Amino acid sequence: MNNIFCNDTGDDHIYSKHAGSSVELRQRKKPKTAGSQETRAKKISSTPVPERAPKYVSFQRFAKIFIGCLAAVISGMMHVFYLSAYHERKFWFSNRQELEREITFQGDSAIYYSYYKDMLKAPSFERGVYELTHNNRTVSLKTINAVQQMSLYPELIASVLYQATGSNEMIEPVYFYIGIVFGLQGIYVTALFVTSWLMSGTWLAGMLTVAWFLINRVDTTRIEYSIPLRENWALPYFACQVAALTGYLKRNLNTYAERFCYLLMSASTYTFMMAWEYSHYVLFLQAVSLLLLDVLSEEHGDKVYEVYKIYIFSLFLGYLLQFENPALLVSPLLSLVGALMLIKCLQLNGKKGTFVAKVIKVFKFYLVCTLPLTLNLIMKTFVPHKENEHVLKFLEVKFGLNVTKNFTLNWLLCQESLQAPSQDFFLRLTQSSLLPFYILVLIICLLSMTQVIFRRMNGKSQKETVTLEDGRIGERPEIIYHVIHTLILGSLAMLMEGLKFIWTPYMCMLAAFGVCSPELWMTLLKWLRLRTVHPILLALILSMAVPTIIGLSLWKEFFPRLITELTELQEFYDPDTVELMTWIKRQAPVAAVFAGSPQLMGVIKLCTGWMVTSLPLYSDDDLLRRNENIYQIYSKRSAEDIYKILTSYKANYLIVEDAICNEMGTTRGCRVKDLLDVANGHVVCEEGDKLTYSKYGRFCHEVKINYSPYVNYFTRVYWNRSYFVYKVNTVISFQS
């Protein structure tokens, strides 16, 4: 009797056997009702399901991981082979002389490779590093720390590897250098593969990521156009960091996997920061994404602050190894992370739901908004810096906060990479089906995240483990982080096209994860409330069928194009530049200093080793001023003014490029000569009309005519179809 009255839950098994059997017989005679069906369903669900043997499960898991890793490695290697074959077909590299090969490195890429050559020519590694850190053989009247200003650590490591491995007896230096960069691109693709695999749970997503990355390579990488660019060295490490961060943010991660992800994240973050001078800006955007993740998913705050510690460690270690680079101390990344760590140390907490807790939240929000700015102003006050002032001025003009006639700022605004993306960019992404699926996945994740936020506002707690049946993809912290990060990158890419090379690979990864994730399809199906087909079964089918259909369509449409690109033999033909470099090496004195456009000066430094007046680098204010002054050869200035500018930099030869002098730019007002006219006040806009006035003709035109006073200052010594070389006379009378 006590048992009967103590339990009124309907569990008949507490009776004796006889009583239990009689109750069961009575229940069989009862008609089928909803309650009895629910009871029977509970009994069925409570019956133990035969589990697979542990050995079988372990083998299945090992086979899945092994096949996925093998597919990731093969994808990376295939990408390397494709880049190598395409580069050979495009430049006909193996059949060219060394000078013709070096000319394929244009602009700032030529400067980076020239220092790699200098390291190989140095008698020892220590001597080579000293000459680079105290370099006075590149820019006239200027000693620069090339390692710090140009982030030459990749070239230092490449030169050490080339000599330490004995590769100088087997392979030419240029092939070794290119091979390292192509190998990093293979790591880049592999990291994207792994990230998509970690998010979706299937390596099929990684395969689709690689396919989209390769098909849209015009918008995912600049490796085809300029191999030694800093981003080509740095972004593979950033991709590894993102992959490690994705694994680190996952729930229910075992201790060993968490430690591995943390160590990989630390190493890749530091390497990324050392390889690219603008890396701390990219990490700043990532830190903002993690801050918003901490706000939306408070239970992962400890992991977020562990990542902040990695940032601080990498910044200070980079500051020391980059010869006390002040740009890292005044970076917004350090100010933001330092402020957040200070707020964390204050331990501002209160009992949930109370008035004090609400006040503390408002105070925290105020500190997060103001303390980073305050720290940044303090650092800029006490730390002398000049390197990034032009970046802030550029951003002011870019966002319409200021108007300027400054040549450098307007020239930067006219660069294609710093303008808004064209319609062709979106058309290419749509044709490859990347953009539509990216938008679909992004919308579903955003709606799920919004649903989670409303559930939390209503006081409903989150589950520790989210199952497939729940259909709540917006609760996963790694998904929240990636959605926020891709939104920030996408917003900035809409303003500056150059950022598409960071955002588009992200699009490939996120879109591939979404279409291959059963959890994402389950989230969508749960909203639709389908009753004809079981939603879990349909989600599993869609996660396999949709990527398969996408893959087959991409194979049918784009695979023949890729094969055609590898079979077509192209040729990079620039005989005028080859002739110019040959003349300089044969006729110009070894101590000569050349003046001209920064892009051409980079090629001259690489191909001849002669000293120049300027470089195509935009992180140094003094070099930017030099570039503007040398560009005056294409303005409406007198011969005397140009002569004074050139002699102030000890220039012996002046090179005028016909392509710049007679430039017919597609963008109105963005030609070099137009920007110079605006900066010099030679163009005045009145009532919509442009009025041009100057006492002098355009120098680059007038100097070709060979009349006084131009012949008194400059003597033409060489010319071809593209270049005109003038010797700057040492003795001259300034009387016209």
Side-chain angles (χ1 to χ4, degrees):
M1 292 295 293
N2 291 335
N3 287 336
I4 294 175
F5 288 105
C6 290
N7 188 326
D8 94 320
T9 60
D11 293 337
D12 299 330
H13 63 275
I14 60 174
Y15 296 136
S16 63
K17 290 184 180 180
H18 178 73
S21 61
S22 62
V23 171
E24 287 179 3
L25 288 174
R26 287 195 298 271
Q27 286 180 344
R28 286 171 188 165
K29 294 178 182 179
K30 289 181 180 179
K32 295 182 179 180
T33 60
S36 63
Q37 290 180 356
E38 290 179 2
T39 306
R40 183 173 298 178
K42 289 181 180 179
K43 289 183 178 180
I44 294 173
S45 61
S46 62
T47 56
V49 180
E51 298 182 356
R52 296 178 178 177
K55 292 184 179 180
Y56 178 80
V57 174
S58 300
F59 175 78
Q60 188 180 28
R61 184 178 301 173
F62 173 78
K64 181 181 177 181
I65 295 175
F66 176 78
I67 295 174
C69 293
L70 185 63
V73 173
I74 291 176
S75 298
M77 294 177 63
M78 292 296 292
H79 185 60
V80 173
F81 294 149
Y82 174 81
L83 289 177
S84 179
Y86 182 78
H87 182 264
E88 174 64 26
R89 289 290 180 176
K90 182 178 181 180
F91 295 107
W92 211 9
F93 217 65
S94 59
N95 296 311
R96 290 184 174 275
Q97 299 297 323
E98 182 179 3
L99 177 60
E100 294 176 320
R101 291 175 181 173
E102 291 177 347
I103 288 176
T104 61
F105 299 114
Q106 297 289 323
D108 51 349
S109 298
I111 294 296
Y112 299 131
Y113 184 74
S114 70
Y115 288 123
Y116 168 71
K117 285 179 57 179
D118 292 344
M119 283 297 300
L120 296 181
K121 294 177 183 178
S124 65
F125 177 76
E126 293 79 8
R127 183 62 185 175
V129 172
Y130 179 81
E131 291 179 354
L132 291 185
T133 54
H134 302 79
N135 186 279
N136 57 3
R137 299 180 181 179
T138 301
V139 183
S140 62
L141 302 179
K142 186 177 177 66
T143 300
I144 61 175
N145 186 340
V147 179
Q148 176 190 351
Q149 286 192 254
M150 305 176 196
S151 300
L152 294 181
Y153 289 96
E155 281 67 29
L156 297 182
I157 296 174
S159 63
V160 169
L161 292 176
Y162 182 73
Q163 294 175 335
T165 57
S167 300
N168 51 351
E169 300 177 357
M170 299 179 293
I171 187 173
E172 297 179 50
V174 64
Y175 280 109
F176 185 83
Y177 185 89
I178 293 175
I180 292 179
V181 182
F182 285 170
L184 286 175
Q185 297 306 303
I187 295 175
Y188 190 8
V189 168
T190 303
L192 294 175
F193 183 110
V194 172
T195 306
S196 186
W197 180 14
L198 287 172
M199 294 168 64
S200 64
T202 172
W203 51 264
L204 185 62
M207 299 291 289
L208 188 57
T209 301
V210 175
W212 267 327
F213 182 91
L214 185 60
I215 291 169
N216 296 281
R217 69 188 184 284
V218 176
D219 303 304
T220 56
T221 178
R222 288 197 287 184
I223 189 69
E224 296 180 8
Y225 310 104
S226 190
I227 293 175
L229 283 180
R230 299 300 85 182
E231 64 190 59
N232 293 334
W233 287 91
L235 288 181
Y237 297 108
F238 181 64
C240 292
Q241 191 254 19
V242 171
L245 179 59
T246 303
Y248 184 70
L249 292 176
K250 289 179 72 70
R251 290 172 174 167
N252 302 324
L253 196 66
N254 63 64
T255 306
Y256 296 105
E258 186 173 316
R259 288 179 181 175
F260 173 77
C261 290
Y262 188 83
L263 292 175
L264 177 59
M265 186 166 41
S266 303
S268 54
T269 300
Y270 172 70
T271 309
F272 174 59
M273 193 171 293
M274 296 294 289
W276 194 16
E277 64 268 27
Y278 298 117
S279 58
H280 55 90
Y281 292 111
V282 179
L283 293 175
F284 169 73
L285 300 179
Q286 187 183 66
V288 173
S289 305
L290 290 172
L291 170 62
L292 295 177
L293 169 64
D294 186 26
V295 173
L296 298 177
S297 183
E298 296 177 353
E299 63 269 16
H300 291 82
D302 293 337
K303 286 189 175 182
V304 170
Y305 282 95
E306 289 298 323
V307 180
Y308 290 163
K309 293 178 183 178
I310 294 176
Y311 290 154
I312 294 178
F313 172 78
S314 300
L315 281 169
F316 280 107
L317 188 59
Y319 170 77
L320 296 176
L321 294 183
Q322 288 187 5
F323 307 93
E324 299 182 356
N325 186 3
L328 296 180
L329 293 183
V330 298
S331 67
L333 175 64
L334 181 60
S335 301
L336 175 65
V337 174
L340 295 176
M341 295 297 290
L342 286 176
I343 297 172
K344 176 73 172 179
C345 293
L346 292 178
Q347 295 292 335
L348 297 175
N349 295 312
K351 191 175 181 181
K352 290 185 178 181
T354 62
F355 176 75
V356 176
K358 295 178 181 179
V359 172
I360 289 176
K361 284 187 177 181
V362 174
F363 184 61
K364 276 187 176 181
F365 178 78
Y366 172 78
L367 289 178
V368 168
C369 294
T370 58
L371 192 56
L373 296 175
T374 305
L375 287 179
N376 193 255
L377 291 175
I378 293 174
M379 295 298 293
K380 288 182 177 180
T381 302
F382 292 99
V383 177
H385 68 288
K386 295 181 179 179
E387 286 78 1
N388 295 323
E389 288 184 358
H390 66 281
V391 176
L392 297 177
K393 294 179 181 178
F394 166 77
L395 293 176
E396 289 179 0
V397 179
K398 178 67 177 178
F399 295 115
L401 302 177
N402 196 2
V403 179
T404 181
K405 292 183 178 180
N406 182 270
F407 169 80
T408 300
L409 293 178
N410 288 326
W411 184 82
L412 289 173
L413 287 171
C414 285
Q415 298 304 299
E416 184 179 357
S417 61
L418 297 176
Q419 293 182 350
S422 62
Q423 294 181 355
D424 294 338
F425 168 65
F426 300 102
L427 182 61
R428 288 191 298 268
L429 298 184
T430 303
Q431 289 176 342
S432 64
S433 71
L434 173 60
L435 186 59
F437 284 105
Y438 168 78
I439 294 175
L440 173 65
V441 172
L442 191 63
I443 290 175
I444 295 175
C445 291
L446 281 173
L447 291 176
S448 182
M449 287 169 54
T450 306
Q451 189 179 31
V452 171
I453 293 173
F454 278 110
R455 287 176 59 86
R456 180 178 298 171
M457 292 174 61
N458 293 331
K460 297 181 180 179
S461 59
Q462 290 183 340
K463 288 187 175 182
E464 293 185 2
T465 56
V466 180
T467 61
L468 175 61
E469 189 177 358
D470 295 328
R472 298 179 190 172
I473 199 166
E475 286 191 5
R476 291 171 53 185
E478 69 273 21
I479 304 301
I480 298 174
Y481 156 72
H482 281 293
V483 169
I484 297 172
H485 200 183
T486 190
L487 284 175
I488 294 175
L489 292 175
S491 302
L492 293 176
M494 295 300 101
L495 300 174
M496 292 177 283
E497 189 174 5
L499 288 174
K500 72 179 182 181
F501 298 107
I502 303 177
W503 181 51
T504 311
Y506 232 109
M507 294 177 64
C508 300
M509 179 184 65
L510 197 69
F513 136 74
V515 298
C516 297
S517 173
E519 192 172 351
L520 183 132
W521 292 114
M522 185 63 193
T523 303
L524 178 62
L525 295 175
K526 198 166 184 180
W527 295 337
L528 298 177
R529 296 182 180 179
L530 296 179
R531 300 192 179 187
T532 55
V533 183
H534 199 285
I536 295 180
L537 178 61
L538 185 57
L540 293 172
I541 294 174
L542 288 174
S543 65
M544 294 292 292
V546 174
T548 302
I549 295 172
I550 295 173
L552 291 176
S553 63
L554 294 178
W555 177 278
K556 181 180 179 181
E557 183 175 357
F558 293 98
F559 183 74
R561 300 184 190 180
L562 298 178
I563 297 300
T564 303
E565 291 175 352
L566 294 180
T567 54
E568 287 182 354
L569 184 61
Q570 306 177 40
E571 186 175 2
F572 181 80
Y573 187 66
D574 191 2
D576 293 340
T577 305
V578 173
E579 292 173 4
L580 175 64
M581 299 304 149
T582 304
W583 180 86
I584 292 174
K585 295 174 74 173
R586 292 177 179 176
Q587 302 295 330
V590 177
V593 178
F594 284 83
S597 69
Q599 288 73 23
L600 181 61
M601 294 302 99
V603 179
I604 290 177
K605 172 62 176 69
L606 169 60
C607 297
T608 67
W610 266 244
M611 195 175 292
V612 295
T613 57
S614 58
L615 291 175
L617 299 171
Y618 313 110
S619 58
D620 183 89
D621 289 339
D622 181 62
L623 288 176
L624 289 174
R625 282 192 296 269
R626 281 174 174 253
N627 293 345
E628 181 177 356
N629 291 334
I630 299 300
Y631 265 131
Q632 296 297 325
I633 63 178
Y634 301 104
S635 68
K636 296 179 179 181
R637 301 279 293 272
S638 66
E640 181 180 348
D641 290 343
I642 302 300
Y643 182 83
K644 288 181 178 179
I645 291 173
L646 295 177
T647 53
S648 67
Y649 295 121
K650 302 297 182 182
N652 305 115
Y653 291 90
L654 167 66
I655 303 177
V656 176
E657 297 176 60
D658 201 53
I660 300 178
C661 190
N662 300 317
E663 183 181 3
M664 301 296 293
T666 56
T667 305
R668 186 179 180 183
C670 277
R671 297 180 301 179
V672 170
K673 51 188 179 182
D674 295 337
L675 297 174
L676 288 168
D677 291 343
V678 172
N680 296 335
H682 295 158
V683 173
V684 179
C685 297
E686 293 183 0
E687 297 180 358
D689 297 328
K690 287 189 176 181
L691 305 179
T692 305
Y693 69 95
S694 176
K695 293 195 304 181
Y696 309 100
R698 198 168 300 281
F699 175 83
C700 62
H701 288 153
E702 301 296 325
V703 74
K704 297 177 184 178
I705 304 177
N706 288 332
Y707 69 92
S708 181
Y710 295 92
V711 293
N712 298 330
Y713 297 103
F714 307 98
T715 302
R716 188 165 65 185
V717 293
Y718 173 81
W719 71 93
N720 59 27
R721 292 175 301 175
S722 303
Y723 304 103
F724 295 81
V725 183
Y726 297 88
K727 184 178 180 180
V728 181
N729 298 332
T730 54
V731 180
I732 189 68
S733 173
F734 288 101
Q735 297 178 359
S736 57

